[in-house]
Amino acid sequence: MMERTPELRKGMADALRVLTADAVDRANSGHPGAPLGMADMAQALWDGHLRHNPANPRWSGRDRFVLSNGHASMLLYALLHLTGYDLSMEDLKSFRRLHSRTPGHPEVGVTPGVETTTGPLGQGLANAVGMALAEKLLAAEFNRAEGGERFDIVDHFTYVFAGDGCLMEGISHEACSLAGTLRLAKLVVLYDDNGISIDGPVQGWFSDDTRKRFEAYGWNVVAVDGHDPLQVDAALRQARAQAATADGRPTLVCCRTEIGRGAPTKAGSHDVHGSPLGAQESQAMRAALGWTAPPFQVPAPLASAWDARERGAAAEREWRLRFEAYRARFPAEAAEFERRLAGRLPEDFAARAASLLEQAARTDAVATRKASQLALDAIAPALPELFGGSADLTASNLTNFKGCVRAGRDTWGNHLSYGVREFAMAAMMNGIALHGGLIPYGGTFLTFSDYSRNAIRMAALMKLRVVHVLTHDSIGLGEDGPTHQAVEHVPSLRLIPQLDVWRPCDALETAVAWQSAVERDDGPSALCLSRQNLPRLVADAGRAGEVRRGGYVLSDLEGAQAVIVATGSEVALALAAQAELALEGIATRVVSMPCTSRFDREPRAWRDAVLPPALPAVAVEAAHPDFWRKYVGRDGAVVGIASFGESAPAQELYAHFGITPQRIADEVRGLVHGSRGRAAAAEAVAAA
């Protein structure tokens, strides 16, 4: 490795600056200011501290790097290209183009070396807190010491670049407060303190004493000149050293920087934040930096200095030697570690799940939140990677299970009290899932999913195996009133692409929902569960396969003249309406649809067999009715609630809002008699 002279360090940082300016100018779109300002910080971290292997971006022993201020994406792309990842100069030239590997904000799964999708400010920082928590939990579970020898196979840092915007977002307080409490000492955040946001200098709207704020959280805080790589290097060494002590804490390195560093007329101004430099300013910057290479070209000495492939391969080889020594001493633990990092479920999980379904089919009337806890009691022992929690509502969400261990500052556990931090919990779960080795789930009230909605959306965008347990799912929670009664939440969550939203009607459907959520490896799931007891409606575990399809015929009377579709607590009301109508000679079919997205992914033949297009349909759900028009059509009917709730016992509320068997039956009568009338009119027209 060649000596890092001040001139070489500057040249390496300038390579990042010039590549950023070239790509943003070529795209005529992007944010050059932050990358220009953070280039020296990046050189210090990536060249001197970050342990990674460009040839194997998924190596489990690597340090994690998160660019929380994701608008600075060209900085990360330039780093990945220069250090040797499979990201070519042509990829940099395609910045922000359709289907390119260099999208406007970093996207995991699109660009090798990107650890998480960032863009909504603050969430990358919260993801990193989740990654650091996962590292600490897995280290406590798998690392060993024997005969005076240590076998540390989980031992890496999580580094973050974050800007003023990340720290202004409230999620930064939620996540960083908890990180300090848990003493996530291997979390190191480099704060790009440039004092500029899109609207201009931030003093008018962001006057926090950031150092004191993080010190109050229990962080180790260091302040440096962000353009002096030696100061940044010293701060990183101090962070790593104190992380190894008994009272190690997460570290915030406050790096005072100039936004747009190197741009002669725009540096230090908000004008450089989100607009290309332009040809004239870019040329002036090259001249000021002494950069003579053509656009998208890096001089060979600088390219060689940046190339991290040899160092990365050596670091991974050293780790693999340690892992093989670990495997020789602890073969069962090594196999379990590899299974979990690969995301494979235990071989006996299917058999355990079958037992769970049999038990659920025998469960009498129970709230589905309780049925969820019973499911956890059954599957948690079979899934050591399951890591749960709740946003200060464990006793209400029932996310704990028999034998679970509460995770603490220095205590391994598989259930965490996140405190009243719904947004941070959801974003941290994303980070835990991205890290690998754990399957996270977390609970809150369904109505509070509004707080965490954007993190739920990001989980769907990243296709993460994350489970949200959302209880108190309707007016059925009763006396707490409209602030807590979900009305629009289930339909709105269903609009998030790639999110499976389950609203089960009883214990068996709840068990199937859990099994499906855990087995799913291409996206998150949300389980919307009742506070009130619901009767056992599916008593045959053999029907679990139908439930898994998202919608199925629960009860069918011969010669059905209409279909009643329902979810959750309203399925029992639909069955009661079916019985009432049968006394009048009106036969109906009742369809339970616990997961509409699963149903929509089924073949057309199944969907038409369950919901025959020729039969009129009534949908029933204690939620906003508009969503159901896609199933019942313009001529169908929906029994729901299009207003906010009230404070009263659940039974009174269902009667008050007309979500009753009688109302459902009335709607069916109207459709059946109306369809007869339309048929007679059509026959008359045909005869004429």
Side-chain angles (χ1 to χ4, degrees):
M1 182 175 176
M2 67 180 70
E3 180 185 356
R4 290 330 193 219
T5 64
E7 293 76 19
L8 181 59
R9 289 181 181 272
K10 177 184 179 300
M12 294 174 72
D14 287 347
L16 299 174
R17 292 187 171 98
V18 173
L19 284 177
T20 290
D22 288 346
V24 173
D25 279 349
R26 184 183 180 92
N28 197 29
S29 174
H31 300 73
L36 299 183
M38 293 191 295
D40 300 301
M41 297 159 50
Q43 189 278 325
L45 173 63
W46 278 66
D47 186 46
H49 295 271
L50 192 72
R51 183 176 63 175
H52 63 118
N53 183 6
N56 184 9
R58 306 311 301 167
W59 164 41
S60 66
R62 70 192 183 279
D63 292 334
R64 272 60 169 178
F65 174 77
V66 173
L67 184 71
S68 187
N69 45 348
H71 55 272
S73 57
M74 259 313 303
L75 175 69
L76 178 54
Y77 299 149
L79 284 163
L80 294 171
H81 167 75
L82 289 170
T83 54
Y85 285 80
D86 179 22
L87 196 69
S88 68
M89 193 66 83
E90 290 303 311
D91 288 321
L92 301 193
K93 292 178 182 179
S94 298
F95 179 54
R96 290 191 164 222
R97 298 300 185 218
L98 182 65
H99 303 315
S100 81
R101 303 173 78 203
T102 49
H105 291 81
E107 296 182 32
V108 69
V110 172
T111 312
V114 170
E115 298 284 1
T116 181
T117 300
T118 54
L121 293 176
Q123 283 201 61
L125 176 54
N127 293 164
V129 174
M131 293 175 186
L133 174 60
E135 192 275 343
K136 187 170 185 175
L137 291 166
L138 291 170
E141 184 175 0
F142 285 99
N143 290 352
R144 295 287 187 272
E146 187 177 273
E149 188 176 2
R150 290 203 59 83
F151 297 86
D152 292 341
I153 60 169
V154 183
D155 181 17
H156 55 263
F157 280 74
T158 301
Y159 295 100
V160 184
F161 277 9
D164 291 305
C166 295
L167 298 192
M168 281 188 260
E169 289 285 1
I171 191 173
S172 70
H173 164 66
E174 294 183 31
C176 293
S177 168
L178 186 55
T181 298
L182 296 175
R183 288 193 179 176
L184 302 180
K186 291 182 180 176
L187 173 65
V188 181
V189 178
L190 288 86
Y191 164 38
D192 178 31
D193 181 15
N194 62 40
I196 298 291
S197 64
I198 291 177
D199 281 355
V202 302
Q203 293 95 327
W205 49 87
F206 185 49
S207 59
D208 301 12
D209 187 327
T210 300
R211 292 188 62 178
K212 289 182 179 178
R213 171 185 164 188
F214 276 77
E215 286 170 354
Y217 292 154
W219 285 52
N220 171 49
V221 181
V222 185
V224 300
D225 177 352
H227 297 303
D228 184 340
L230 295 181
Q231 287 191 34
V232 178
D233 176 79
L236 292 171
R237 292 182 187 280
Q238 192 252 38
R240 294 174 63 89
Q242 70 86 36
T245 64
D247 62 346
R249 294 166 289 165
T251 292
L252 178 74
V253 183
C254 297
C255 301
R256 189 62 182 173
T257 62
E258 179 184 41
I259 192 171
R261 179 82 163 189
T265 69
K266 295 185 177 182
S269 164
H270 71 282
D271 293 335
V272 77
H273 186 288
S275 300
L277 296 182
Q280 184 175 344
E281 185 77 3
S282 290
Q283 191 59 41
M285 183 183 77
R286 300 170 100 88
L289 297 177
W291 190 274
T292 59
F296 293 104
Q297 289 188 26
V298 176
L302 298 180
S304 177
W306 268 118
D307 192 339
R309 287 173 292 185
E310 185 176 336
R311 281 182 288 144
E316 183 172 351
R317 279 196 303 272
E318 186 275 332
W319 180 86
R320 292 200 178 279
L321 287 173
R322 280 191 285 126
F323 186 77
E324 290 308 316
Y326 178 89
R327 188 199 303 278
R329 195 74 63 92
F330 311 104
E333 289 83 352
E336 174 69 2
F337 180 78
E338 290 180 316
R339 177 191 71 78
R340 286 167 58 171
L341 266 295
R344 299 190 306 269
L345 297 181
E347 292 183 2
D348 64 346
F349 179 74
R352 295 284 193 102
S355 175
L356 160 66
L357 298 176
E358 291 289 347
Q359 171 187 308
R362 297 192 298 270
T363 301
D364 289 326
V366 67
T368 50
R369 62 170 176 160
K370 180 62 179 177
S372 169
Q373 186 178 48
L374 295 174
L376 285 169
D377 287 343
I379 66 175
L383 280 178
E385 59 263 54
L386 205 59
F387 182 79
S390 177
D392 203 47
L393 289 168
T394 301
S396 293
N397 301 146
L398 304 182
T399 54
N400 54 344
F401 52 87
K402 291 178 181 177
C404 74
V405 178
R406 176 177 288 188
R409 170 180 290 179
D410 299 309
T411 307
W412 175 88
N414 51 14
H415 190 278
L416 179 66
S417 292
Y418 285 90
V420 187
R421 299 181 175 98
E422 295 89 354
F423 195 3
M425 175 181 71
M428 286 174 62
M429 289 196 299
N430 291 348
I432 292 169
L434 286 161
H435 180 280
L438 297 168
I439 298 176
Y441 71 91
T444 187
F445 288 171
L446 175 57
T447 190
F448 300 154
S449 65
D450 283 339
Y451 284 133
S452 51
R453 182 182 178 86
N454 201 260
I456 297 173
R457 180 180 187 270
M458 295 302 292
L461 180 62
M462 292 187 277
K463 301 181 180 180
L464 302 180
R465 179 153 47 187
V466 171
V467 186
H468 293 273
V469 179
L470 304 172
T471 69
H472 297 59
D473 68 344
S474 71
I475 58 172
L477 70 88
E479 294 84 348
D480 272 343
T483 61
H484 285 50
Q485 291 166 2
V487 172
E488 75 278 21
H489 299 78
V490 170
S492 68
L493 287 172
R494 289 182 180 132
L495 296 178
I496 298 177
Q498 298 171 180
L499 173 67
D500 278 351
V501 179
W502 290 86
R503 189 165 184 255
C505 74
D506 70 355
L508 181 64
E509 284 195 355
T510 304
V512 171
W514 260 111
Q515 182 183 0
S516 299
V518 166
E519 291 177 349
R520 186 184 184 205
D521 62 1
D522 62 352
S525 302
L527 279 53
C528 302
L529 308 170
S530 74
R531 175 182 184 265
Q532 72 274 31
N533 286 350
L534 304 182
R536 177 174 56 174
L537 300 179
V538 192
D540 179 6
R543 304 202 68 183
E546 297 173 79
V547 177
R548 287 177 67 91
R549 304 183 80 160
Y552 64 103
V553 179
L554 177 60
S555 176
D556 203 14
L557 299 183
E558 185 176 354
Q561 299 164 267
V563 178
I564 306 172
V565 188
T567 77
S569 45
E570 289 71 67
V571 175
L573 304 182
L575 290 170
Q578 181 188 53
E580 178 179 326
L581 290 164
L583 297 176
E584 305 169 18
I586 299 177
T588 58
R589 166 182 291 184
V590 172
V591 169
S592 177
M593 195 177 290
C595 185
T596 59
S597 56
R598 283 288 178 119
F599 181 74
D600 290 346
R601 293 199 295 268
E602 288 296 320
R604 180 65 178 267
W606 175 265
R607 289 180 281 132
D608 284 350
V610 173
L611 295 178
L615 288 182
V618 175
V620 188
E621 186 172 61
H624 199 285
D626 286 359
F627 173 85
W628 288 100
R629 288 294 168 188
K630 65 183 285 190
Y631 298 105
V632 304
R634 293 175 58 189
D635 296 328
V638 183
V639 176
I641 172 173
S643 65
F644 293 114
E646 297 280 354
S647 295
Q651 289 184 332
E652 293 181 24
L653 291 173
Y654 272 87
H656 173 74
F657 288 107
I659 305 176
T660 63
Q662 295 73 31
R663 165 80 183 286
I664 300 167
D666 285 343
E667 296 291 351
V668 172
R669 292 185 188 101
L671 291 180
V672 170
H673 295 319
S675 63
R676 288 173 181 166
R678 286 192 296 273
E683 290 176 4
V685 170

